[in-house]
Amino acid sequence: MSERYSPTVRRRRLSEELRRLRHDARMTLDDVVKATEWSRGKLGNIESGQRQRPQVAEIRTLLDTYKVSDPGIREAVLSLCRQSRERGWWVRYRDVLSPKFVGFEAEASVICNWELAVVPGLLQVPEYVELISRTALVRDPKDVQRVVDARIERQRVIFEDPPDDVWLVFDETALVRLRDHPTVLRTQVARLIEAAERPEVTIQLVPHTRLHPGTGGPFVIMDFPSTVDPSVVYLETDTDGLYLEDVDEVARYRRLFDHLRLTALLPEETVPRLREMIA
């Protein structure tokens, strides 16, 4: 199984399918609670995807309750349940990575990332990760190394089987701040220049002298290869982050990203600007 296969995406798809089948059966949550003798909380957690590893027997009970007799539909839903119970590679780094975010990212076909204050994580070099980790008050060398290892593993998985499109726009200030760390600056910029040559990667810098509409903070828009999987906007917070799936909210962030692209240097202007920084 590919490391970019995502149980997170399958779990969300399972939740959508279960809600659809309940609506087709013309049953409310209370109707299902009464029929199954489950708590409303348990049913709600299964439908919302909060139950991380739903049991196949539980899903089979719901299919029986909804009177789903078509063997093809039953097996498709049960397969989604089995797939959602798999463990992604990121589980071993769950103390330093957001499992839900990396789970979505793992299967995204298009990733659009705006960063206000740092280099996008998918292109950070180990020296840069170590520097910003220590700046974020991660003091124990073992903890710092764990953050570095998780970041590098994330990059390896993504770029071994890359998405169709990775579009990274960020404020040049993230690099300007590295002038007091010339070795890190040179290594990081060299990585950006190298990555810009990849066919699926587009990098744009917003010059630090330009006003832009991205001061509200960083975000990532993720689209998926299957039309049954809705796009997601991830807003980073101090905890796990905020995930937006409402069509209007996603559209609003797409417009914002388009404006940021227009504000930034063109891709063909960005690489020369990067070269100037380490000339």
Side-chain angles (χ1 to χ4, degrees), residues 23-270:
H23 292 154
D24 289 349
R26 300 182 181 278
M27 297 183 74
T28 65
L29 287 173
D30 288 336
D31 292 334
V32 181
V33 166
K34 184 176 180 180
T36 59
E37 297 186 345
W38 291 352
S39 70
R40 188 183 178 91
K42 175 179 177 178
L43 179 60
N45 286 339
I46 291 175
E47 276 205 6
S48 67
Q50 293 300 310
R51 196 177 184 88
Q52 296 297 300
R53 306 189 74 209
Q55 300 293 322
V56 172
E58 294 172 335
I59 305 307
R60 189 175 284 116
T61 295
L62 289 177
L63 293 175
D64 293 341
T65 301
Y66 303 150
K67 295 182 170 50
V68 178
S69 57
D70 185 307
I73 295 176
R74 289 182 67 92
E75 183 53 35
V77 174
L78 292 174
S79 292
L80 278 177
C81 177
R82 295 184 187 101
Q83 292 165 1
S84 75
R85 289 177 53 79
E86 299 290 338
R87 293 188 181 275
W89 65 265
W90 52 88
V91 169
R92 62 184 181 273
Y93 293 112
R94 63 184 310 127
D95 57 321
V96 292
L97 284 177
S98 165
K100 188 173 182 180
F101 169 69
V102 182
F104 279 131
E105 181 186 63
E107 204 162 320
S109 57
V110 178
I111 300 171
C112 296
N113 182 196
W114 158 250
E115 288 293 346
L116 176 62
V118 297
V119 173
L122 285 176
L123 297 182
Q124 293 174 0
V125 295
E127 296 86 346
Y128 181 78
V129 178
E130 180 177 349
L131 179 63
I132 62 173
S133 295
R134 293 189 183 283
T135 303
L137 304 182
V138 180
R139 301 301 190 195
D140 190 319
K142 292 182 180 178
D143 292 338
V144 172
Q145 188 59 49
R146 187 151 178 78
V147 175
V148 171
D149 291 345
R151 192 68 48 85
I152 300 309
E153 180 68 1
R154 174 187 163 205
Q155 295 172 7
R156 182 192 67 78
V157 170
I158 288 293
F159 288 114
E160 277 193 354
D161 181 14
D164 297 332
D165 195 3
V166 179
W167 204 300
L168 307 170
V169 184
F170 66 102
D171 194 311
E172 184 183 46
T173 306
L175 296 173
V176 172
R177 292 194 184 99
L178 292 178
R179 286 175 177 166
D180 290 339
H181 306 274
T183 302
V184 178
L185 175 62
R186 181 171 293 276
T187 304
Q188 181 60 73
V189 170
R191 168 65 175 137
L192 294 170
I193 294 171
E194 175 190 36
E197 296 178 356
R198 297 182 64 103
E200 74 277 3
V201 174
T202 302
I203 301 173
Q204 287 185 262
L205 280 179
V206 176
H208 69 278
T209 55
R210 289 185 187 176
L211 296 175
H212 59 73
T215 55
F219 60 88
V220 183
I221 305 171
M222 292 172 280
D223 301 311
F224 302 91
S226 175
T227 56
V228 302
D229 297 318
S231 301
V232 177
V233 174
Y234 169 73
L235 306 177
E236 187 174 354
T237 68
D238 288 338
T239 54
D240 184 44
L242 182 63
Y243 300 85
L244 308 178
E245 300 179 42
D246 179 79
V247 173
D248 290 339
E249 290 181 320
V250 173
R252 181 165 68 88
Y253 277 91
R254 286 196 198 282
R255 288 194 297 272
L256 177 56
F257 192 74
D258 287 342
H259 281 292
L260 287 163
R261 288 167 51 195
L262 291 172
T263 304
L265 297 173
L266 295 172
E268 57 267 29
E269 297 171 326
T270 292

